[in-house]
């Protein structure tokens, strides 16, 4: 019995000692008291109010009931690109119902200050609601949206040869995460397709073009290529008359303008008269008529070309070839070969014939002109286009010389008599 009494006394002493350490001062109106010696290890001021010594950090008692939040429409997963505005209710003991929201990874799921969740990229993030005295964290997944369909906007089934076409498409649903689409052709020699969906008609035939999404969803269309054939050829001229040696450009237009193969070929019916190059340039080679034909596949058109000679407009005697006095008098017995200039100098016909109006005064022998007897004569030079006349006089130089001496003497006598009369 005595041992039990001593044990009770020892326990009372220990308890009294512990209480004395924890309460080194009186409790104030806030429920706390001074602990100047920091016996509690919590500093110079702490609280009890029925609990072990503690602090009220930010005015919050750790033994007070926690603020709680109930989200009425909390989600665990959202499709990428979609948003959810949270609706919540706070049960609070701290005197404030305010909530701040945060995300552990805003690149996956972002959250606004008003609690709007938005899925950005596939993954998982923790969304935390923080109250004055409490918090709660939710796990939200951002789900990848797979394509359910590839929808073509501008479907065609025919494509002109050597032309191209850009296929436009939509991935459904519109918020599909992976937008990548691969393109292929089952016959690229007929219709090829690039990685953007641009198709090109390379040859006549059919091909199937396919678009495949990243998850294997596939859409295809069949393309038949066709050729546009020429229907007519128009020429810039209906007929042409050109000088010998000249050239002329003919312009040929193939219709319809979108003819697939509009290459043309030029030919001449008579190359000795007119030739033509592969661009429609015609050259007059000889006098006559030729037909120029232009052909595109199975159609053609023609034009007649008449090549005419270049006419001589006039003939001029070259005076230096005529041994005359004052360009008019020829000494009896003189022989020479007259020469002329034809204008224009490129006249087609250059052959000259000479003729004397009086063979007894001046005659020709092998184009050599000889003054035979005194008198006047006309020398005619002719081509097929024109002619000219040279007037000459054949004189006896002995008679001319005597006549000249008499004239000089007459003048001298006249001068002498005039001077005598003046004296």
């Amino acid at each position: 019995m005595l041992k039990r009494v001593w044990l009770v006394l020892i326990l009372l002493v220990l308890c009294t000692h512990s209480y004395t350490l924890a309460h080194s001062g009186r409790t104030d109106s806030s429920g706390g008291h001074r602990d100047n010696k920091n016996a509690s290890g919590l500093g110079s001021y702490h609280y009890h109010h029925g609990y072990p010594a503690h602090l009220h950090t930010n005015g919050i008692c750790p033994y007070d009931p926690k603020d709680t939040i109930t989200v009425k429409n909390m989600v665990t997963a959202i499709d990428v690109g979609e948003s959810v505005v949270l609706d919540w209710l706070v049960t609070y003991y701290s005197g404030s119902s305010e909530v701040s929201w945060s995300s552990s990874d805003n690149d996956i799921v972002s959250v606004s200050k008003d609690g709007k969740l938005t899925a950005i990229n596939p993954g998982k993030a923790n969304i935390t609601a923080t109250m004055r005295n409490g918090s709660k964290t939710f796990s939200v997944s951002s789900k990848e949206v797979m394509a359910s369909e590839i929808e073509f906007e501008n479907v065609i089934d025919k494509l002109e040869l050597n032309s191209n076409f850009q296929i436009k498409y939509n991935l459904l649903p519109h918020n599909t995460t992976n937008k990548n689409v691969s393109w292929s052709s089952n016959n690229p020699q007929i219709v090829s397709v690039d990685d953007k969906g641009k198709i090109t008609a390379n040859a006549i035939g059919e091909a199937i073009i396919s678009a495949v999404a990243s998850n294997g969803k596939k859409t295809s269309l069949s393309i038949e290529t066709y050729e546009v054939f020429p229907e007519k050829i128009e020429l810039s001229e209906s007929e042409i008359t050109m000088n010998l040696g000249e050239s002329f450009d003919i312009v040929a237009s193939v219709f319809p303008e979108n003819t697939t193969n509009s290459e043309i070929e030029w030919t001449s019916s008579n190359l000795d008269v007119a030739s033509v190059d592969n661009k429609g340039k015609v050259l007059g080679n000889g006098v006559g008529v030729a037909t120029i034909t232009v052909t595109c596949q199975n159609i053609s058109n023609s034009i007649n070309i008449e090549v005419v000679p270049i006419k001589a407009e006039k003939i001029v005697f070259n005076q230096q070839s005529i041994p005359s006095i004052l360009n008019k008098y020829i000494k009896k017995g003189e022989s020479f070969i007259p020469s002329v200039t034809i204008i224009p100098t490129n006249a087609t016909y250059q052959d000259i014939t000479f003729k004397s109006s009086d063979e007894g005064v001046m005659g020709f022998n092998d184009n050599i002109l000889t003054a035979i007897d005194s008198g006047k004569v006309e020398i005619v030079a002719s081509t097929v286009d024109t002619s000219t006349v040279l007037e000459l006089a054949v004189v006896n130089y002995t008679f001319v010389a005597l006549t000249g001496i008499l004239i000089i003497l007459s003048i001298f006598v006249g001068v002498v008599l005039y001077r005598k009369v003046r004296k």
Side-chain angles (χ1 to χ4, degrees):
M1 183 65 180
L2 182 59
K3 289 181 179 180
R4 291 181 179 178
V5 172
W6 279 107
L7 180 60
V8 171
L9 290 175
I10 291 171
L11 289 173
L12 287 174
V13 170
L14 291 175
C15 290
T16 302
H17 176 71
S18 174
Y19 181 80
T20 302
L21 290 175
H23 296 82
S24 58
R26 290 185 177 183
T27 299
D28 57 23
S29 60
S30 298
H33 66 98
R34 295 284 178 181
D35 183 8
N36 294 325
K37 295 182 178 181
N38 194 18
S40 64
L42 298 176
S44 60
Y45 191 89
H46 60 261
Y47 297 85
H48 287 279
H49 51 82
Y51 299 99
H54 61 275
L55 299 177
H56 286 188
T57 304
N58 296 325
I60 302 298
C61 176
Y63 296 101
D64 285 347
K66 300 292 185 183
D67 295 340
T68 61
I69 185 171
T70 301
V71 179
K72 301 177 183 179
N73 61 337
M74 192 63 208
V75 293
T76 58
I78 312 175
D79 289 340
V80 169
E82 293 188 347
S83 298
V84 174
V85 178
L86 299 179
D87 181 16
W88 70 85
L89 176 66
V90 174
T91 301
Y92 59 93
Y93 304 92
S94 61
S96 174
S97 62
E98 291 185 1
V99 178
S100 63
W101 295 91
S102 62
S103 170
S104 62
D105 194 335
N106 282 302
D107 289 333
I108 294 177
V109 180
S110 66
V111 59
S112 65
K113 63 181 180 180
D114 56 355
K116 180 180 180 180
L117 303 180
T118 302
I120 308 298
N121 290 298
K124 182 179 288 188
N126 292 324
I127 305 300
T128 300
T130 302
M131 296 150 285
R132 187 180 181 194
N133 185 24
S135 64
K136 188 171 183 179
T137 298
F138 310 88
S139 180
V140 178
S141 296
S142 177
K143 297 191 305 179
E144 181 176 3
V145 181
M146 306 301 291
S148 61
E149 181 184 353
I150 300 177
E151 177 186 62
F152 289 148
E153 291 185 4
N154 52 347
V155 175
I156 61 170
D157 55 6
K158 294 181 182 296
L159 185 62
E160 181 184 329
L161 185 64
N162 298 328
S163 65
N164 51 59
F165 181 80
Q166 178 64 56
I167 300 176
K168 296 181 180 179
Y169 66 93
N170 291 313
L171 280 173
L172 300 179
H174 293 292
N175 63 334
T176 297
T177 307
N178 191 333
K179 303 291 186 181
N180 292 329
V181 172
S182 60
W183 295 87
S184 64
S185 170
N186 73 330
N187 198 343
Q189 292 182 339
I190 301 297
V191 182
S192 58
V193 60
D194 66 11
D195 58 358
K196 302 295 183 183
K198 182 179 180 180
I199 59 176
T200 301
N202 302 313
I204 296 298
E206 294 185 11
I208 296 176
I209 304 300
S210 299
V212 182
S214 61
N215 64 337
K217 289 292 182 179
K218 179 179 180 180
T219 300
S220 301
L221 74 160
S222 179
I223 301 293
E224 178 184 357
T225 61
Y226 65 93
E227 183 175 0
V228 179
F229 292 98
E231 298 176 4
K232 66 177 180 177
I233 302 175
E234 291 185 357
L235 300 176
S236 58
E237 310 294 330
S238 58
E239 60 180 5
I240 297 174
T241 299
M242 58 190 298
N243 290 327
L244 179 66
E246 291 183 343
S247 62
F248 192 92
D249 291 323
I250 304 173
V251 178
S253 302
V254 179
F255 293 93
E257 294 181 353
N258 65 331
T259 297
T260 303
N261 182 5
S262 58
E263 292 184 5
I264 56 178
E265 180 182 359
W266 297 85
T267 58
S268 171
S269 64
N270 191 338
L271 294 175
D272 292 334
V273 174
S275 58
V276 60
D277 65 13
N278 59 3
K279 294 184 178 179
K281 185 173 185 177
V282 178
L283 179 63
N285 300 322
V287 176
V289 177
T291 300
I292 302 299
T293 301
V294 58
T295 303
C296 179
Q297 297 189 50
N298 60 340
I299 64 169
S300 63
N301 198 357
S302 299
I303 181 173
N304 288 328
I305 305 292
E306 181 182 5
V307 181
V308 297
I310 300 174
K311 292 185 176 182
E313 298 175 3
K314 65 179 179 177
I315 302 172
V316 178
F317 277 95
N318 298 323
Q319 292 297 329
Q320 64 270 22
S321 69
I322 303 172
S324 62
I325 299 173
L326 301 176
N327 295 328
K328 186 171 183 180
Y329 300 101
I330 301 295
K331 179 182 177 182
K332 180 181 177 180
E334 188 81 48
S335 295
F336 62 94
I337 299 175
S339 67
V340 297
T341 298
I342 299 175
I343 299 175
T345 58
N346 65 336
T348 302
Y349 301 113
Q350 298 281 333
D351 292 338
I352 300 292
T353 59
F354 294 97
K355 185 177 181 180
S356 172
S357 62
D358 191 341
E359 292 287 340
V361 175
M362 187 171 286
F364 279 97
N365 184 17
D366 293 332
N367 284 336
I368 299 175
L369 188 60
T370 302
I372 300 172
D373 198 2
S374 299
K376 292 183 178 181
V377 68
E378 291 182 346
I379 305 300
V380 180
S382 302
T383 68
V384 295
D385 300 319
T386 188
S387 62
T388 189
V389 175
L390 175 64
E391 294 181 353
L392 293 174
V394 178
V395 296
N396 188 329
Y397 271 31
T398 302
F399 174 76
V400 171
L402 290 175
T403 303
I405 293 171
L406 290 175
I407 293 173
I408 293 172
L409 288 174
S410 297
I411 293 173
F412 178 75
V413 171
V415 171
V416 171
L417 292 175
Y418 175 76
R419 289 181 176 178
K420 286 183 178 181
V421 172
R422 288 291 300 266
K423 290 181 179 180

